[in-house]
Amino acid sequence: MQSKSTLIKEELQPRSVGILQQPKAVWAVAFACVISFMGLGLVDPILPAIGKKLHATPSQVSLLFSSYTFITGLAMLITGVVSSRFGTKRTLLTGTFLIVVFSILGGFSGSIGQLVGYRAGWGLGNALFIATALSAIVGLSTSGPAKAIVLYEAALGLGISVGPLLGGELGSISWRGPFFGVGVLMALAFLSILILLPKLPKSKVRTSLLDPFKALRYRGLLTLGITALCYNFGFFTLLAYTPFVMNLDEHGLGYVFFGWGILLAITSVFVAPKFQSRFRTVPSMCAMLFCFAVTLLVMGIWTSSQMVVIVAVIIAGAFLGVNNTLITTAVMVAAPVERSTASAAYSFIRFVFGAAGPWLAGKLAEWYNPHIPFYVGAIAVVCGILAILLGNKHLQHIDKAVASHH
């Protein structure tokens, strides 16, 4: 019998098929990913409006992100158990259905508490969807794992970039509009998966709740999880807190985050692979995280300058796009375990322990001043760099594993 490490190496052999030459099933899942990630950007332009309409402080509104990410992280522990028993297609459909239900319920919310609760339910659906979607795209792709991950990141970037534009338009009518918009779009995603994705064979290996924790025994995977935890503090400071300091309406915020998302999408697809092949994974990740930390520092120093914050937010998309692809690719080959298990373990750490980031950003502004959240976010990202440097010896195999893709 072949070992898991041997299977992973075989998966990483070069394939001549181009990234766009994919089966219909891959495109169906990718389309659903675009719509799913639109849900994240769709809500961003209406955060200040939610605060005004529901009489909530920025820290209370930021709980929309905290509850979402916390439940997503916890639910990641069961995604492997669910998908290995019910199959990829059923798990994707269940996750998509839950997002439809809870996003529509969110649109009917009468208080910030209700909305935070519905976002938690949304997080459960999101966990079932995104963990299985990445595994499905990588498994079904005919172009190899590296190109499949780039395709996944492209879907992520496209969804995040288009989402704010639609969110700004719907949000200018009512803050409830984007929630109903997500519900309708995810219903379309549900149909695309139902129709285009064939019934896939269930995994021959039944995973357990302990598997993600066992996977964290591999120091490379643990290092990447801790790095992502720190990085998420900075990421959600940008995503959940900057809308409150830019002083823009729903349309304005939509355009700013559209620019941010466009840069994120372009760099994740076209720039990240070049950085990886030329400068190697670990140095490239450290460089992108350093640039992101500096960007947060700039926003902290010039918080009162609307133009500086707007430009910094957009530019940050470039650094985040490259880093997202690099770290996702690294996670897939960091440990000799199933891809879904590696993703679950990594996501558990970064989401559960990083969930305090959005809430803390709002609270720091209330406790001290508007500059402090950016400084703390920058320090957290620097801690992510230190985590990589301390665990560097456990990441040396990543470039060898990925080299055959290029």
Side-chain angles (χ1 to χ4, degrees):
M1 292 204 41
Q2 291 176 308
S3 67
K4 289 182 178 178
S5 58
T6 303
L7 290 174
I8 289 175
K9 288 178 182 178
E10 288 180 356
E11 285 181 335
L12 297 176
Q13 293 307 307
R15 305 184 188 183
S16 59
V17 180
I19 190 172
L20 298 179
Q21 296 174 285
Q22 305 288 353
K24 287 182 180 179
V26 171
W27 290 116
V29 178
F31 170 70
C33 285
V34 171
I35 297 175
S36 173
F37 290 118
M38 281 179 69
L40 185 65
L42 208 67
V43 177
D44 218 44
I46 60 170
L47 294 180
I50 290 174
K52 291 178 183 178
K53 296 295 183 181
L54 297 182
H55 309 291
T57 64
S59 62
Q60 289 174 322
V61 174
S62 69
L63 287 173
L64 294 176
F65 286 96
S66 293
S67 65
Y68 174 82
T69 54
F70 182 76
I71 296 301
T72 295
L74 280 181
M76 280 292 177
L77 296 176
I78 67 169
T79 55
V81 176
V82 173
S83 63
S84 66
R85 285 160 176 76
F86 295 99
T88 299
K89 185 171 183 176
R90 284 185 181 179
T91 305
L92 282 172
L93 288 173
T94 301
T96 306
F97 178 75
L98 288 174
I99 295 173
V100 171
V101 171
F102 284 106
S103 60
I104 290 176
L105 287 174
F108 286 111
S109 295
S111 68
I112 191 65
Q114 284 184 346
L115 193 54
V116 169
Y118 291 140
R119 279 285 283 183
W122 189 338
L124 172 60
N126 183 65
L128 292 172
F129 177 82
I130 62 173
T132 315
L134 175 57
S135 180
I137 287 178
V138 173
L140 292 167
S141 174
T142 55
S143 59
K147 292 178 181 177
I149 289 170
V150 171
L151 183 63
Y152 174 81
E153 292 295 338
L156 183 153
L158 183 60
I160 287 179
S161 61
V162 176
L165 280 182
L166 186 57
E169 291 298 323
L170 295 175
S172 64
I173 300 171
S174 168
W175 69 265
R176 301 177 189 274
F179 290 94
F180 294 132
V182 170
V184 172
L185 290 171
M186 286 306 291
L188 292 175
F190 181 91
L191 291 175
S192 73
I193 294 172
L194 182 66
I195 296 170
L196 297 177
L197 188 67
K199 185 177 181 180
L200 301 171
K202 296 179 183 178
S203 174
K204 295 180 180 179
V205 180
R206 289 291 183 93
T207 59
S208 73
L209 290 173
L210 294 177
D211 285 347
F213 295 104
K214 292 178 181 178
L216 292 175
R217 291 180 300 181
Y218 295 98
R219 295 290 296 276
L221 187 60
L222 178 63
T223 296
L224 293 172
I226 294 172
T227 299
L229 186 165
C230 298
Y231 153 74
N232 265 13
F233 266 80
F235 177 80
F236 280 112
T237 295
L238 183 146
L239 204 61
Y241 178 65
T242 54
F244 293 100
V245 300
M246 282 191 278
N247 297 313
L248 295 171
D249 62 12
E250 291 84 355
H251 286 292
L253 289 172
Y255 290 131
V256 170
F257 282 100
F258 172 69
W260 169 78
I262 285 292
L263 272 185
L264 187 148
I266 292 172
T267 55
S268 66
V269 176
F270 300 107
V271 180
K274 295 184 183 300
F275 266 81
Q276 193 170 43
S277 61
R278 184 167 182 178
F279 302 110
R280 295 180 295 115
T281 301
V282 171
S284 297
M285 280 196 294
C286 288
M288 292 302 104
L289 290 174
F290 177 76
C291 290
F292 181 42
V294 170
T295 305
L296 289 171
L297 181 62
V298 168
M299 285 192 275
I301 296 172
W302 288 283
T303 307
S304 57
S305 173
Q306 184 187 56
M307 187 53 63
V308 170
V309 175
I310 289 173
V311 172
V313 166
I314 294 172
I315 290 175
F319 308 134
L320 298 178
V322 174
N323 187 69
N324 284 349
T325 297
L326 291 175
I327 201 165
T328 303
T329 305
V331 166
M332 292 295 101
V333 296
V337 297
E338 299 286 336
R339 286 188 296 264
S340 57
T341 301
S343 178
Y346 159 77
S347 297
F348 169 73
I349 293 179
R350 68 170 176 147
F351 284 138
V352 168
F353 297 102
W359 174 81
L360 184 61
K363 272 299 179 184
L364 288 171
E366 293 170 17
W367 291 335
Y368 301 103
N369 60 64
H371 305 266
I372 296 298
F374 294 113
Y375 295 144
V376 173
I379 292 171
V381 175
V382 170
C383 288
I385 299 174
L386 294 177
I388 291 178
L389 296 177
L390 290 173
N392 185 32
K393 66 179 181 180
H394 303 289
L395 302 173
Q396 293 303 304
H397 67 287
I398 288 175
D399 287 305
K400 293 179 181 178
V402 178
S404 57
H405 297 309
H406 304 285

